[in-house]
Amino acid sequence: MKNDPLRRVFEPIAIRGVEIPNRIVRTAHLTKLGMGTISDDLIGYHAARARGGVGLSILEATAVHPSSVLALVGYDDSVIPTLAKLMTTIRPLGMKVFQQLWHGGHVYPPPGGLPMRGASALPGPIAGMPAVPIGTEEVGDFVAAFAAAARLSAEAGIDGIEIAASHGYLMHQFLSPLTNTRDDRYGGSLENRMRFLAEVLAAVRNAVGPALPVGVRMGAGQVTGDLDEQDVAEVARLLVERGLIDYLNVSMGDYYAMHWMMGGMDRPAGYMLPFSGKVTGAVAGVPQIVTGRFRTLEEAEQVLRAGDADLVSMVRAHIADPDVVRKTRDGHPERVRPCIGCNQGCIARTSGVDARLGCTVNPAVGREARYGDDAIGVTASPRRVVVVGGGPAGMEAARVARLRGHDVTLYEAADRLGGSLNVARRAPRAQGMDDILDWYTAELRRLGVTCRLSALVDADDVAVADPDVVIVATGADPVLDGRPIAAPGEVVDGIGSPGVVSSVEALTRPAPAVGSRALVVDDVGQYEAVSVAEYLLQHGVHVTMATRLPMAGPLVDAAMRMTPALERLYSAPAEFAVLTRVTPASVQPRKATLRSLAGAAPMTVPADLVVLVTYKESRSGLAKELAGRVPDVRLVGDALAARDLQVAIREGNDAARSIA
Ligand code: SF4
């Protein structure tokens, strides 16, 4: 055991007498799998991670007061039966479960048009409207609300309570000099600003009794005047000194700088440590949790050995694969399906209205009971399955069909697996694409899928193989017909010029000469245009990004990845500019003309190269040719209709799973 490379990860730890079986935590994260009350899907989601070996999970933000509700409600008796059911399900699996109690303050408007409540009247950065400050004598009502919610959770059998004082929510608003401009006993000095939190913690302790752990989540903001790491550390130190907390959960960022809260694939593992470490290094006496895009137990072990924390949170790693701990403990870390840091299937979905948590690489999220790999089951009637196309949809189809026990042969026209991933991975900071491609490649080999590479097959070739089922996953091609999405009745003059290329060509061909100029026309608003722009800028090409949309990369922004992307693009050595609400009108030698969609005058921009990032046309011909020649033909992913990576993987999974 002494030389066990994961010795620290698997050391149990007690928080106020509650034993956590190992050091891996899933901190609170919005799922919307239960709106109002805990649903069976939410229980299934957490139970899968409990079976996977996680030590501690903290349930998502649970509202303590009707003036702020995000998903779960914890302020009436309805919480007890559903939370009790969750605890009854999970307790035998060994994972401990804490509940985060939360009030969002001025971040999100409450339902039904009620006014937001906050520390001060300052408008929140999301809602953009002022909150009604909580009155001095009213603070006690909110203290009581936290205590009442804690009591209900305790009655339901929860293992511990966490107070959300991070990420710009109400308690953070009181702590921060930026958002707390009060002149009563809850504003001004640090002692006054932390008074509300201290009163809440004391009331919660009183409500739940001496046995239950009570902790707090805190973190520094990242904009001028906000709460800094020194203040967070001082507040935490005082809370420990006064016996008010049993653990400290350190994060960073708030809604003024959202991208710090959930860094994407451009950020390294542990990217928060230079900030959160200033807090954990200054506080002693209680176990401390850190987070920040950790993906493997090896990374967690390093944190523990360095003494940066006592527990390590791995949320997205466990969204992508519920079995990170179990697979690693069993000696197979390479079998862990990697989180690619796209933020697309998880954060971008839950930040949408009523959308539920998902995952780009794991189609089972939120429906684990019926859809997890554990629920696939081996067929009693193995079939000969041919998959045509080795992109994401095809690889997932082959993987799941093989797990079902079918005899699977995959044909790929290129000399390596990957399909569209092989294009996406050429962009800078796209390590996640390599990670998932490497995982699929290794899994298909391990499972015994026969992969025929450099095999461009037609319908005759497939029919000769005499398959029972053919899954066609042949992808899609960019459409360069010159009809912009914003004006499909028009054709861009000069679209056939040699200087006009697709995003696929831009990323796979040698970049133009250093100092030349490119116009990247983004018709779709996804990460693809960022990839192309960054690739060209990295090669010294000046880039103008033009889009019909009101902002660059709106879908990337929903995944909290656009701000860091723009920071990189604007700081590149070559020039970068963005033009919005425009559409291409014509391409001439070394320049292009853009038409305004907002009534402004047309503009001409220098362009040695014009890259069109636009929609794609499915390659579905093979499926049509096979119809009637083989018993069962299924079309999946972009070959059915060009969409995104998440849909491609899900459809590949669905198709293989449903083979009788
Ligand atoms: Fe990771 Fe992307 Fe899945 Fe989110 S959607 S957990 S970032 S792979």
Side-chain angles (χ1 to χ4, degrees):
M1 282 299 282
K2 204 169 177 189
N3 294 322
D4 182 347
L6 296 175
R7 175 173 50 84
R8 293 297 315 282
V9 161
F10 289 110
E11 265 176 15
I13 183 171
I15 301 180
R16 201 181 184 90
V18 171
E19 180 148 312
I20 315 294
N22 58 54
R23 305 302 181 96
I24 301 304
V25 182
R26 295 163 59 238
T27 42
H29 54 288
L30 185 64
T31 70
K32 293 190 178 174
L33 297 177
M35 294 302 285
T37 54
I38 292 170
S39 65
D40 285 350
D41 281 348
L42 184 60
I43 293 173
Y45 170 69
H46 286 296
R49 276 82 195 158
R51 280 193 296 277
V54 172
L56 168 67
S57 289
I58 302 170
L59 299 183
E60 65 198 274
T62 300
V64 300
H65 193 274
S67 58
S68 183
V69 178
L70 196 50
L72 297 182
V73 163
Y75 52 76
D76 64 43
D77 290 353
S78 66
V79 70
I80 294 181
T82 53
L83 183 53
K85 184 177 179 186
L86 181 144
M87 295 306 296
T88 305
T89 305
I90 292 191
R91 195 169 290 117
L93 302 172
M95 182 177 82
K96 295 298 187 290
V97 182
F98 292 1
Q99 175 114 45
Q100 187 185 71
L101 299 181
W102 172 93
H103 189 294
H106 71 176
V107 172
Y108 298 113
L114 293 169
M116 291 185 297
R117 307 306 308 273
S120 306
L122 192 71
I126 301 289
M129 54 181 109
V132 175
I134 295 173
T136 307
E137 303 313 320
E138 213 185 349
V139 171
D141 297 342
F142 285 83
V143 172
F146 274 93
R151 190 177 299 111
L152 291 174
S153 296
E155 278 180 39
I158 199 78
D159 293 318
I161 297 289
E162 177 174 285
I163 303 302
S166 57
H167 299 134
Y169 298 128
L170 181 64
M171 214 65 82
H172 182 135
Q173 288 160 35
F174 269 83
L175 290 173
S176 170
L178 182 68
T179 47
N180 182 342
T181 56
R182 305 171 69 99
D183 56 9
D184 61 2
R185 64 180 183 272
Y186 296 101
S189 66
L190 184 69
E191 183 65 36
N192 278 359
R193 283 183 276 125
M194 67 177 282
R195 189 181 308 282
F196 181 25
L197 175 58
E199 289 179 359
V200 164
L201 289 165
V204 166
R205 167 60 60 216
N206 202 31
V208 300
L212 222 57
V214 176
V216 67
R217 189 170 208 194
M218 291 198 293
Q222 298 300 317
V223 294
T224 306
D226 209 343
L227 195 64
D228 62 17
E229 287 83 7
Q230 287 70 32
D231 279 354
V232 173
E234 181 61 7
V235 171
R237 199 187 61 70
L238 290 168
L239 295 176
V240 174
E241 191 178 281
R242 296 170 192 178
L244 289 170
I245 56 172
D246 301 310
Y247 75 92
L248 174 64
N249 180 358
V250 185
S251 184
M252 70 181 288
D254 57 26
Y255 286 76
Y256 291 107
M258 294 169 67
H259 53 286
W260 282 106
M261 293 197 269
M262 279 151 287
M265 73 174 81
D266 53 297
R267 300 236 192 245
Y271 73 93
M272 287 190 188
L273 278 181
F275 305 88
S276 56
K278 290 182 195 164
V279 177
T280 59
V283 179
V286 293
Q288 302 190 68
I289 304 170
V290 292
T291 189
R293 222 191 146 228
F294 296 107
R295 296 160 303 170
T296 68
L297 297 198
E298 288 79 3
E299 290 166 357
E301 179 77 16
Q302 283 181 31
V303 172
L304 298 170
R305 290 193 183 203
D308 289 323
D310 305 285
L311 300 112
V312 178
S313 175
M314 298 173 62
V315 171
R316 282 173 289 172
H318 281 95
I319 297 174
D321 192 329
D323 294 320
V324 178
V325 175
R326 183 176 60 78
K327 287 177 179 173
T328 308
R329 190 181 52 214
D330 292 349
H332 293 295
E334 79 287 355
R335 292 187 192 170
V336 173
R337 176 173 30 214
C339 164
I340 61 175
C342 63
N343 289 356
Q344 205 70 50
C346 50
I347 295 157
R349 277 175 63 89
T350 51
S351 60
V353 178
D354 287 342
R356 290 156 49 99
L357 183 77
C359 176
T360 299
V361 301
N362 179 7
V365 169
R367 45 183 186 162
E368 277 77 7
R370 354 181 248 293
Y371 217 85
D373 276 7
D374 291 350
I376 286 178
V378 175
T379 180
S381 312
R383 312 278 182 205
R384 274 190 307 281
V385 177
V386 163
V387 177
V388 185
M395 291 190 291
E396 177 71 358
R399 183 186 79 86
V400 174
R402 189 68 195 122
L403 282 173
R404 290 270 293 138
H406 299 299
D407 176 2
V408 185
T409 303
L410 183 154
Y411 294 97
E412 165 56 43
D415 60 359
R416 58 170 297 172
L417 292 171
S420 59
L421 292 176
N422 282 321
V423 179
R425 63 190 281 275
R426 289 183 59 83
R429 297 178 186 253
Q431 175 64 37
M433 299 299 164
D434 281 326
D435 292 345
I436 193 65
L437 179 52
D438 290 349
W439 180 78
Y440 270 118
T441 304
E443 281 295 282
L444 295 188
R445 188 180 308 122
R446 177 178 76 82
L447 294 169
V449 171
T450 303
C451 292
R452 305 267 185 240
L453 302 180
S454 304
L456 180 61
V457 293
D458 60 19
D460 291 339
D461 299 323
V462 174
V464 163
D466 194 24
D468 299 307
V469 180
V470 180
I471 298 175
V472 177
T474 39
D477 294 310
V479 175
L480 291 188
D481 64 359
R483 295 182 186 277
I485 289 179
E490 301 173 8
V491 177
V492 178
D493 195 26
I495 188 71
S497 315
V500 180
V501 300
S502 69
S503 55
V504 173
E505 291 166 311
L507 282 168
T508 53
R509 288 180 179 176
V514 172
S516 57
R517 294 189 171 272
L519 173 67
V520 177
V521 179
D522 182 13
D523 248 6
V524 292
Q526 269 288 11
Y527 199 81
E528 205 174 332
V530 174
S531 294
V532 173
E534 193 163 15
Y535 174 83
L536 293 170
L537 286 163
Q538 195 180 60
H539 286 85
V541 178
H542 306 297
V543 172
T544 301
M545 185 189 284
T547 179
R548 68 188 170 94
L549 301 163
M551 66 174 289
L555 300 171
V556 187
D557 199 53
M560 298 190 190
R561 294 177 63 201
M562 199 59 201
T563 299
L566 286 171
E567 285 172 359
R568 296 195 306 274
L569 297 176
Y570 279 117
S571 62
E575 295 165 17
F576 176 71
V578 174
L579 300 170
T580 59
R581 301 294 290 137
V582 292
T583 191
S586 65
V587 178
Q588 306 110 51
R590 308 202 62 197
K591 62 186 178 185
T593 300
L594 299 164
R595 179 169 72 76
S596 170
L597 294 169
M603 64 190 88
T604 298
V605 295
D608 303 297
L609 179 74
V610 176
V611 184
L612 297 181
V613 183
T614 185
Y615 66 100
K616 296 184 173 66
E617 183 177 41
S618 300
R619 289 188 209 117
S620 57
L622 181 64
K624 293 186 189 104
E625 290 166 25
L626 285 169
R629 298 187 64 182
V630 295
D632 187 346
V633 182
R634 294 149 190 236
L635 197 55
V636 296
D638 284 1
L640 173 63
R643 287 150 295 164
D644 61 22
L645 180 57
Q646 182 169 3
V647 176
I649 290 176
R650 192 187 69 218
E651 285 185 355
N653 191 305
D654 281 340
R657 198 178 281 262
S658 62
I659 296 171

